[in-house]
Amino acid sequence: MATLKSNHSPVELASRWDERTSPARFAGNDDVLDTVYRAKRKGNNVFLIRKGSVSLDPFTTVFRGRILPCGEGSMIKGYFSKRAFDYVLLAILLCLDAAFALKASLMGEMTGEAFLWCLGFAVILVLLAIPTPFAVKRYTAFMRDITKDE
């Protein structure tokens, strides 16, 4: 769970969110292939995803949150996860891995080495479902730029 506090009112923070995440702001601003944040805001609900130089960046981290009033100001509160499609794909791959391991063990062909390969593949798939600390740090830095006073 991430919480970023701001001295701005919720309406002003929503306006800053829209201005800072506007697609026009990213059009050709980077020296090297653009690092673009795509964002959506519906009422107080916000969504942020980083799009790299690759058109389809699988297993990219996303932020889902809300702009909430907090004392004199407001805050952005939400969580980091992956896209829903990524979780569906990971579930399908885990099921296929489990089916392969089960079939091999029923046939009597499951050796210790084959078991370790299946287990290793499953561990890698589970690790893909966890947002990396580096991505969380980048997103948080970007959102701090929105919440800070100027």
Side-chain angles (χ1 to χ4, degrees), residues 13-113:
L13 187 59
S15 173
R16 288 175 60 88
W17 177 275
D18 292 341
E19 188 275 324
R20 184 63 175 96
T21 59
S22 168
R25 186 174 183 96
F26 294 106
N29 284 344
D30 261 347
D31 309 355
V32 190
L33 299 168
D34 283 349
T35 298
V36 176
Y37 286 93
R38 285 189 342 153
K40 296 178 189 173
R41 184 180 65 82
K42 189 172 188 178
N44 286 341
N45 295 325
V46 292
F47 175 84
L48 183 68
I49 186 169
R50 180 182 176 274
K51 299 301 277 181
S53 57
V54 181
S55 62
L56 292 175
D57 197 2
F59 305 109
T60 189
T61 300
V62 298
F63 176 79
R64 291 176 177 88
R66 294 183 57 112
I67 297 175
L68 302 168
C70 175
E72 297 280 324
S74 60
M75 68 177 167
I76 298 175
K77 188 173 187 176
Y79 61 94
F80 296 95
S81 66
K82 301 291 182 174
R83 293 176 293 183
F85 175 78
D86 295 336
Y87 288 125
V88 169
L89 179 62
L90 288 173
I92 291 170
L93 291 174
L94 278 171
C95 288
L96 288 173
D97 185 46
F100 174 77
L102 181 64
K103 182 68 174 177
S105 88
L106 290 175
M107 290 175 51
E109 299 294 326
M110 182 59 85
T111 63
E113 184 180 352

